[in-house]
Amino acid sequence: MSYTAPIKDMLFDIEHLADIAKVAQMPGLEEAGLETAQAVLEECARFNQDVIAPLNVEGDRNPSSFKDGQVTTTPGFKEAFAQYVAGGWQGLQHPTDFAGQGLPKTIGAACVEMLNSANMSFALCPLLTDGATEALLTAGSDELKAVYLEKLVSGQWTGTMNLTEPQAGSDLALVRSRAEPQPDGTYKVFGTKIFITYGEHDMAENIVHLVLARVSGAPEGVKGISLFVVPKFLVNKDGSLGARNDVHCVSIEHKLGIKASPTAVLQYGDHGGAIGYLVGEENRGLEYMFIMMNSARYAVGMQGIAIAERAYQHAVAYAKERVQSRPVDGSVKASAPIIHHPDVKRMLMTMRAYTEGCRAMAMTAAAAYDAAHHHPDADTRKQNEAFYEFLVPLVKGYSTEMSLEVASLGVQVHGGMGFIEETGAAQYLRDAKILTIYEGTTAIQANDLVGRKTARDGGQVGKAIAAQIEKTEAELAKRDSADAKAVAKRLTAARQAFIDVVGFVAGQTKASPNAVFAGSVPYLMLGGNLVAGWQLARSLLVAEDLAKAGTDVPFMKAKIATARFYAEHILNKAPGLRDSIVDGADSVTALALEAF
Amino acid sequence: MSYTAPIKDMLFDIEHLADIAKVAQMPGLEEAGLETAQAVLEECARFNQDVIAPLNVEGDRNPSSFKDGQVTTTPGFKEAFAQYVAGGWQGLQHPTDFAGQGLPKTIGAACVEMLNSANMSFALCPLLTDGATEALLTAGSDELKAVYLEKLVSGQWTGTMNLTEPQAGSDLALVRSRAEPQPDGTYKVFGTKIFITYGEHDMAENIVHLVLARVSGAPEGVKGISLFVVPKFLVNKDGSLGARNDVHCVSIEHKLGIKASPTAVLQYGDHGGAIGYLVGEENRGLEYMFIMMNSARYAVGMQGIAIAERAYQHAVAYAKERVQSRPVDGSVKASAPIIHHPDVKRMLMTMRAYTEGCRAMAMTAAAAYDAAHHHPDADTRKQNEAFYEFLVPLVKGYSTEMSLEVASLGVQVHGGMGFIEETGAAQYLRDAKILTIYEGTTAIQANDLVGRKTARDGGQVGKAIAAQIEKTEAELAKRDSADAKAVAKRLTAARQAFIDVVGFVAGQTKASPNAVFAGSVPYLMLGGNLVAGWQLARSLLVAEDLAKAGTDVPFMKAKIATARFYAEHILNKAPGLRDSIVDGADSVTALALEAF
């Protein structure tokens, strides 16, 4: 099944929701206007459609394999990765100081989506390299930066994140890996890390592991965790590769999906200790790791959007081709392609509306990220930072949960053929299931939303977002169209539900933590639903204007129809969620533990 | 992962919701009281827990395989099936005239659930045999009955349903297989059938295929389809097996789940014609097939409940064992088992409430089935028949859709371990995905609900159900408890939403078929949600009384908590669904076909 990048929709979001013209006025981003975006997206689409997408099915059928400490990736991956590196794609969003291209997230995010739509298993390697790059950029010494950053930004070497241990998943307080300081300033690292994505592979000449471990004598819990660089091969002074370090892959996992992406168990220090280099200061590892995680969480949200887009395209193609049964309205006298059947349309519209809504939310978040990092005004930077931070758990949590529903609908559109692996629809569902789990489960995202993003500031950012949404409602109210009115009605109801919940969370987290956290995931789902619906409402306003002006009328009409569908079939879930959260907290925790 | 049959919950439903005491007053069911139910369920639980459940994982890892026309099932399946046959389990619900046990569906349904919880891939063989048995009981000649029924009821031979062809899935008008009448009264059958569950296997000595085909010269469309028995081995006059018939398995599918269940492509008549025997009259095949389908649809609903139960048990066991993070309320000072975390409770409660709600709905439907077939009063039989018929698409459609959500939550509770196949949680999700597809997709169930079950009678049965629900609300209103009040509030809102939708469907199906069918699946989901929530509300009334009387107080308290959770977190989705259906129909079909 081929993939066609939704460039038009992406550029619509980049131009009208993310407002790239404003982004390109910020210092350092002057060349990142709409024309650049268009050129980059078109080139990126060609590469992903032609080189990366065809390997997706192959990766599922012929996954990475493990033998004698070595991982062999799917045939074709190594060559494709070489092309990826040669094209400079790894450095898209990274600083020009380290040979990156310095493009804004507003453009980079769309490229991340394309790569993941093309092949999520493949895309994980660059995604983890991005995380390692971010951590070193933020906290690495000049020496570490000099040795590692250009190689990571070019993609010549790849990166990993080593958090999880068998007893320590979401609970990093339980990390046991240890690091012993050496006289020369290095450390010897010992321990077992699991679930390490691309922890071992054959696509790059070196792998730069970023590893959480405790320095001997460090405090217990998360305040005693430090971050280390542990390269697979040590690096000589001249930058050439030296001795093999004492970190070894002992197995890879047999997984439900993303089978081509090797998930490694790594053993550190079994032969005397793996040589590691401290990143930043001792005991601040968690803080640095959060920088990587925040970047990765946004990217995982994009993975959700990406897999939803691919599943949608697959399902549309089948629905246009598969002939079954007469339409219920008698419009066709013989059996017709199933896209004529209302329920098939409902499923495809659901897939489409979710995908476009979450893309619009993510692109808006990307623009806020760029403003937070590049805007000349400090207050504007701060506001955008707060907005972006609020959106990260929504982009990650909501877009990935929706991707599960979309991928499942994608299978459903195919009927019995969807259950046959050769059809390809089932792979998206299997692949998508990891997205609500890794880089922090949906519950972990929701904890973040409740604790750091809502309770801490008394719900201020949440309320500020609601106030912005109210402005969009006022714009909608000025329109005559039935579409605008229908969207406004649902948006208002959803915003009011959201305000109630923000008030509940801000007010009750300290006094009734069980009640608030019982509704944390529904709160995240409500927030994501609202923000995505809001961005589609903004899209509708733009699309109505452009349609009136005669600009690409079919596209604008489709955007309007999609926004209205979202409002009437997805956004309208918000009041029910409010009731569950605010009125239904007690029944979540009422059952005695023994009764389960 | 072991399985423990939820006998207590099943018996609660059988006693208090299905009212088995009344069932046992009906002619022919006099011995089927609560004591019988308990004895049968306990024996059934032992057999499934000890013999069938341990083969579930093995079936996934070592699926049925195909070579040279033969299918070899998973090691252990053949022996287990022999024990299943020896135990008389196949005949549980079938007439004593053919060596069955003649038990009511009220008891049989619970046994079906257990078998499917234990091992859904295994259970499919008996499920299809049940369908073939039903068809022959209803429409077979005395001769066919004499030759086949005892063998099928005993399980010595197994049955299949052959509907689908490559071009004819849900659309049986497109069936092309043909049957040529022979001078001796038999037919020669030719054609290709796909997706034939247990169409070939090594667990029984003969396979009785029930096959849809067109007799030469029959009318086009569904009115020209006849039903035939085509045995794998012809049967001699003395009942012994004769020559191999001309039906051959040419391949089996590589599927997302239920891997141990062989899904065959069967080729009929490549070597001169497969000898077939007409069931009933020519051109009435679809009607007979619907008898099988209706029976099978209910059973597939039970499969949804069964897999949800198994997924729930798996998740609870993990949540009690896996230690991560401190509880948010500070009740435990160190990292605690994750079942202490509110969101894990929310997930487990969602799984539990869905499962118990759907089980309660299905058991109530089973009692109606028994009354429809055994009650001495014709009017009562008719009313129960109508109620059962209304519930079949809900039991099938809603219970299977919920099983997907439950199985997905089951993976989620396991975190990263859920994505590793060895954990076992992912298998339930992969297995469950077929349930919303086979025996008619959810959309096909919804078409049935809209067309035959609602529009045809102007919504009368739907409204009658709503009137019964109002009586339950009145009972709840008499109670003082906060639980009863909370449940009553949501039940009333859901019932009112349902009434609106029934009115919309009954009133608009002819005039605006696209608008009604755009909401057909949401209508089914609303109906299933309401009926399951209603049955849990009835359960709450019973449980409050019994708890007051001191009967098994912990169980009754758990039942009350589960009913309230369902009302506040699941049933409260009903008003949103109403809005989507009644107000949002246009936006489902607004997008131009070219815009997809």
Side-chain angles (χ1 to χ4, degrees):
Chain A
M1 177 64 203
S2 65
Y3 162 67
T4 307
I7 295 183
K8 207 184 255 194
D9 197 61
M10 289 169 162
L11 286 175
F12 177 93
D13 290 352
I14 288 174
E15 182 177 2
H16 302 294
L17 304 180
D19 202 351
I20 194 154
K22 275 196 190 152
V23 173
Q25 288 168 6
M26 297 174 200
L29 299 176
E30 292 85 352
E31 282 167 38
L34 186 61
E35 273 180 38
T36 303
Q38 182 156 359
V40 171
L41 263 58
E42 282 171 1
E43 185 61 28
C44 187
R46 267 193 294 277
F47 174 69
N48 283 301
Q49 290 167 184
D50 298 348
V51 178
I52 307 297
L55 292 168
N56 190 45
V57 166
E58 181 61 20
D60 193 57
R61 292 189 193 154
N62 195 355
S64 284
S65 60
F66 174 80
K67 200 179 168 193
D68 302 333
Q70 311 285 323
V71 170
T72 306
T73 52
T74 300
F77 269 42
K78 193 174 173 175
E79 295 73 16
F81 191 73
Q83 286 188 255
Y84 178 83
V85 171
W89 294 109
Q90 184 68 46
L92 217 61
Q93 294 181 63
H94 296 304
T96 47
D97 299 354
F98 298 99
Q101 311 213 16
L103 285 173
K105 201 178 188 82
T106 305
I107 295 174
C111 298
V112 168
E113 184 192 318
M114 288 188 204
L115 184 65
N116 278 286
S117 279
N119 193 329
M120 204 165 93
S121 282
F122 180 91
L124 276 163
C125 189
L127 190 157
L128 271 298
T129 304
D130 280 339
T133 304
E134 294 268 356
L136 288 177
L137 277 170
T138 314
S141 64
D142 287 344
E143 200 186 335
L144 282 180
K145 284 182 182 169
V147 175
Y148 292 100
L149 273 178
E150 275 202 34
K151 303 278 191 179
L152 287 169
V153 169
S154 70
Q156 202 177 336
W157 299 350
T158 67
T160 70
M161 288 168 66
N162 290 238
L163 289 77
T164 308
E165 301 178 4
Q167 79 293 345
S170 305
D171 189 359
L172 295 172
L174 302 180
V175 160
R176 281 189 209 141
S177 292
R178 62 195 171 81
E180 293 178 0
Q182 304 300 307
D184 64 353
T186 66
Y187 292 75
K188 286 201 170 175
V189 177
F190 303 86
T192 303
K193 293 288 182 181
I194 63 169
F195 294 166
I196 309 309
T197 299
Y198 279 95
E200 176 60 35
H201 64 84
D202 57 2
M203 306 197 310
E205 59 189 31
N206 202 7
I207 302 175
V208 182
H209 303 293
L210 283 159
V211 186
L212 288 186
R214 293 179 185 286
V215 178
S216 340
E220 290 206 356
V222 293
K223 288 177 182 163
I225 297 175
S226 305
L227 181 64
F228 299 88
V229 164
V230 182
K232 176 178 172 184
F233 287 100
L234 298 174
V235 183
N236 297 322
K237 289 220 165 134
D238 63 357
S240 63
L241 294 186
R244 183 74 168 79
N245 206 351
D246 186 10
V247 45
H248 296 279
C249 177
V250 294
S251 65
I252 63 173
E253 306 292 352
H254 171 223
K255 307 188 299 294
L256 175 61
I258 51 164
K259 296 189 181 192
S261 161
T263 303
V265 177
L266 294 183
Q267 197 66 31
Y268 289 85
D270 271 9
H271 307 283
I275 295 172
Y277 308 92
L278 182 68
V279 178
E281 298 171 20
E282 279 187 8
N283 300 333
R284 290 180 63 187
L286 203 70
E287 185 187 319
Y288 309 141
M289 192 56 90
F290 264 115
I291 295 161
M292 294 173 65
M293 298 255 295
N294 231 15
S295 149
R297 282 172 177 185
Y298 179 90
V300 172
M302 291 306 312
Q303 294 191 303
I305 296 161
I307 205 116
E309 173 67 33
R310 187 88 191 254
Y312 169 74
Q313 291 189 15
H314 205 125
V316 166
Y318 186 79
K320 287 185 171 175
E321 178 195 301
R322 172 71 170 173
V323 172
Q324 290 285 285
S325 304
R326 296 181 186 193
V328 289
D329 63 2
S331 59
V332 182
K333 288 295 168 207
S335 296
I338 61 172
I339 198 166
H340 286 275
H341 302 316
D343 189 65
V344 173
K345 277 191 190 150
R346 184 190 61 81
M347 291 194 277
L348 295 176
M349 284 303 297
T350 305
M351 298 172 78
R352 177 187 179 99
Y354 266 129
T355 307
E356 289 190 15
C358 286
R359 180 182 296 130
M361 168 166 69
M363 294 310 304
T364 313
Y369 177 93
D370 289 328
H373 286 79
H374 292 277
H375 201 282
D377 177 58
D379 273 353
T380 309
R381 282 204 303 276
K382 208 175 144 193
Q383 275 170 26
N384 277 283
E385 176 73 18
F387 180 69
Y388 178 74
E389 287 293 327
F390 194 91
L391 257 55
V392 167
L394 306 186
V395 169
K396 201 285 186 183
Y398 186 68
S399 306
T400 61
E401 291 287 344
M402 79 87 188
S403 77
L404 276 182
E405 190 173 337
V406 168
S408 185
L409 284 172
V411 175
Q412 190 72 16
V413 168
H414 287 78
M417 289 307 296
F419 202 65
I420 307 300
E421 285 288 6
E422 283 74 6
T423 305
Q427 186 191 342
Y428 307 131
L429 178 59
R430 289 189 288 96
D431 285 355
K433 191 68 202 84
I434 192 59
L435 299 177
T436 59
I437 296 172
Y438 66 16
E439 299 301 338
T441 62
T442 307
I444 300 281
Q445 307 304 320
N447 286 352
D448 179 46
L449 179 67
V450 165
R452 275 183 290 272
K453 311 295 168 67
T454 306
R456 187 183 282 176
D457 75 350
Q460 275 187 53
V461 176
K463 286 173 200 164
I465 291 173
Q468 285 190 61
I469 293 172
E470 219 175 335
K471 285 183 193 162
T472 303
E473 291 165 36
E475 291 298 314
L476 290 165
K478 290 180 199 158
R479 302 293 171 108
D480 294 328
S481 72
D483 296 317
K485 284 186 205 315
V487 169
K489 180 178 171 183
R490 303 298 168 186
L491 189 59
T492 300
R495 178 191 36 93
Q496 287 166 342
F498 176 74
I499 289 174
D500 285 354
V501 173
V502 169
F504 173 73
V505 170
Q508 301 294 319
T509 300
K510 265 205 175 157
S512 312
N514 281 330
V516 170
F517 284 96
S520 60
V521 167
Y523 170 37
L524 180 149
M525 295 302 287
L526 169 54
N529 192 342
L530 173 64
V531 174
W534 169 36
Q535 294 309 319
L536 286 182
R538 288 183 62 207
S539 305
L540 177 141
L541 290 168
V542 173
E544 283 194 346
D545 289 342
L546 291 174
K548 224 174 262 172
T551 309
D552 199 350
V553 177
F555 177 84
M556 298 305 158
K557 282 195 167 171
K559 184 55 91 179
I560 294 165
T562 305
R564 181 166 178 177
F565 180 92
Y566 190 100
E568 295 189 325
H569 295 268
I570 300 172
L571 191 54
N572 68 324
K573 293 177 184 174
L577 284 170
R578 178 229 164 266
D579 291 352
S580 289
I581 298 162
V582 177
D583 302 339
D586 289 348
S587 60
V588 175
T589 50
L591 200 77
L593 280 192
E594 318 78 68
F596 277 97
Chain B
M1 177 65 203
S2 66
Y3 162 67
T4 307
I7 296 182
K8 208 185 254 194
D9 197 61
M10 289 169 163
L11 286 175
F12 178 92
D13 290 351
I14 288 174
E15 184 177 0
H16 302 294
L17 304 181
D19 203 350
I20 195 155
K22 274 196 191 154
V23 172
Q25 287 167 6
M26 298 174 199
L29 299 176
E30 292 86 351
E31 283 168 36
L34 186 60
E35 274 180 37
T36 302
Q38 181 155 1
V40 171
L41 264 57
E42 282 170 1
E43 186 60 30
C44 187
R46 268 192 295 277
F47 174 69
N48 283 302
Q49 290 166 185
D50 298 348
V51 178
I52 307 297
L55 293 168
N56 190 45
V57 166
E58 181 61 20
D60 194 57
R61 292 190 193 153
N62 195 354
S64 284
S65 60
F66 174 81
K67 200 180 168 192
D68 302 333
Q70 310 286 322
V71 169
T72 306
T73 53
T74 300
F77 268 44
K78 192 174 174 176
E79 296 73 16
F81 191 74
Q83 284 188 256
Y84 178 84
V85 172
W89 295 110
Q90 184 67 47
L92 218 61
Q93 294 182 64
H94 296 303
T96 48
D97 300 354
F98 297 99
Q101 310 213 18
L103 286 173
K105 200 177 190 84
T106 305
I107 296 174
C111 298
V112 168
E113 183 192 318
M114 289 188 202
L115 185 64
N116 279 286
S117 280
N119 193 328
M120 205 166 91
S121 282
F122 180 92
L124 276 163
C125 189
L127 190 156
L128 271 297
T129 305
D130 279 340
T133 304
E134 295 269 356
L136 288 177
L137 277 169
T138 314
S141 64
D142 288 345
E143 200 186 335
L144 282 179
K145 285 181 182 170
V147 175
Y148 292 101
L149 274 177
E150 275 202 32
K151 302 281 190 176
L152 286 169
V153 169
S154 70
Q156 201 177 337
W157 299 349
T158 68
T160 71
M161 288 167 65
N162 289 236
L163 290 76
T164 307
E165 300 178 5
Q167 78 294 346
S170 305
D171 189 0
L172 295 173
L174 302 180
V175 160
R176 281 188 210 143
S177 291
R178 61 196 171 82
E180 293 178 0
Q182 303 299 307
D184 65 353
T186 65
Y187 292 75
K188 286 201 171 175
V189 177
F190 303 86
T192 303
K193 293 289 182 179
I194 64 168
F195 294 165
I196 309 309
T197 300
Y198 279 95
E200 177 59 35
H201 64 85
D202 58 1
M203 307 198 308
E205 59 188 31
N206 202 6
I207 302 175
V208 182
H209 303 294
L210 283 158
V211 186
L212 288 186
R214 294 179 186 285
V215 177
S216 341
E220 289 205 358
V222 294
K223 287 176 183 163
I225 297 174
S226 305
L227 182 63
F228 298 89
V229 165
V230 182
K232 177 179 172 185
F233 288 99
L234 299 174
V235 184
N236 298 322
K237 289 220 164 137
D238 63 357
S240 64
L241 294 185
R244 184 74 168 78
N245 205 352
D246 184 12
V247 45
H248 297 278
C249 177
V250 293
S251 64
I252 63 173
E253 306 292 351
H254 171 224
K255 307 188 299 292
L256 175 62
I258 52 165
K259 296 190 181 191
S261 161
T263 303
V265 177
L266 293 182
Q267 197 65 33
Y268 289 83
D270 271 9
H271 308 282
I275 294 172
Y277 308 93
L278 183 68
V279 178
E281 297 170 21
E282 280 186 6
N283 300 333
R284 291 181 61 187
L286 202 71
E287 184 187 321
Y288 308 143
M289 192 55 90
F290 264 115
I291 296 161
M292 294 172 64
M293 298 257 294
N294 230 16
S295 151
R297 284 173 175 184
Y298 179 92
V300 173
M302 291 306 310
Q303 293 190 305
I305 296 160
I307 204 116
E309 173 68 33
R310 187 88 190 256
Y312 169 74
Q313 292 189 15
H314 206 126
V316 166
Y318 186 80
K320 286 184 171 176
E321 179 195 300
R322 171 72 170 173
V323 172
Q324 290 285 286
S325 304
R326 297 181 185 192
V328 289
D329 63 0
S331 58
V332 181
K333 288 295 166 206
S335 295
I338 61 172
I339 197 166
H340 286 276
H341 302 317
D343 189 66
V344 173
K345 278 192 189 149
R346 184 191 60 82
M347 291 193 277
L348 294 176
M349 283 304 296
T350 305
M351 299 171 77
R352 178 188 179 97
Y354 266 129
T355 307
E356 288 190 16
C358 285
R359 180 182 295 129
M361 169 166 67
M363 294 310 303
T364 312
Y369 177 93
D370 289 328
H373 287 78
H374 292 277
H375 201 281
D377 177 57
D379 273 353
T380 308
R381 282 204 304 276
K382 208 176 143 192
Q383 275 170 26
N384 278 282
E385 177 72 19
F387 180 69
Y388 177 75
E389 287 293 325
F390 194 91
L391 257 56
V392 166
L394 306 185
V395 169
K396 201 286 185 182
Y398 185 68
S399 306
T400 61
E401 291 286 344
M402 79 88 189
S403 77
L404 276 182
E405 188 173 338
V406 168
S408 184
L409 284 172
V411 175
Q412 189 72 15
V413 168
H414 287 78
M417 289 306 296
F419 202 66
I420 308 299
E421 285 288 5
E422 282 75 5
T423 305
Q427 185 191 342
Y428 306 131
L429 178 58
R430 289 189 287 97
D431 285 355
K433 190 67 203 84
I434 193 59
L435 300 177
T436 59
I437 296 172
Y438 66 16
E439 300 301 339
T441 62
T442 307
I444 299 282
Q445 307 304 318
N447 286 353
D448 179 46
L449 179 67
V450 165
R452 273 183 293 272
K453 310 296 169 66
T454 307
R456 187 183 284 176
D457 76 348
Q460 275 188 54
V461 176
K463 287 173 199 162
I465 291 173
Q468 284 190 62
I469 293 172
E470 218 175 337
K471 285 184 192 161
T472 303
E473 292 165 35
E475 291 297 315
L476 290 165
K478 291 180 199 159
R479 303 293 170 107
D480 295 328
S481 72
D483 296 316
K485 284 187 206 312
V487 170
K489 180 177 170 184
R490 304 298 169 188
L491 189 59
T492 301
R495 174 187 45 85
Q496 286 166 342
F498 176 73
I499 288 174
D500 284 355
V501 174
V502 169
F504 173 72
V505 170
Q508 301 295 319
T509 300
K510 266 207 174 155
S512 312
N514 281 330
V516 169
F517 284 97
S520 60
V521 166
Y523 170 36
L524 180 150
M525 295 302 287
L526 169 55
N529 192 342
L530 174 64
V531 173
W534 169 36
Q535 293 309 320
L536 286 182
R538 289 183 62 207
S539 304
L540 177 141
L541 291 168
V542 173
E544 283 195 345
D545 290 342
L546 291 174
K548 223 174 264 173
T551 308
D552 199 351
V553 177
F555 176 85
M556 298 305 158
K557 281 194 167 171
K559 184 55 91 177
I560 293 165
T562 305
R564 181 166 176 177
F565 180 92
Y566 190 100
E568 295 188 327
H569 295 268
I570 300 172
L571 191 53
N572 67 324
K573 294 177 184 174
L577 284 170
R578 179 228 163 268
D579 291 352
S580 290
I581 298 162
V582 177
D583 302 338
D586 289 348
S587 60
V588 174
T589 49
L591 200 76
L593 280 193
E594 317 79 68
F596 277 98

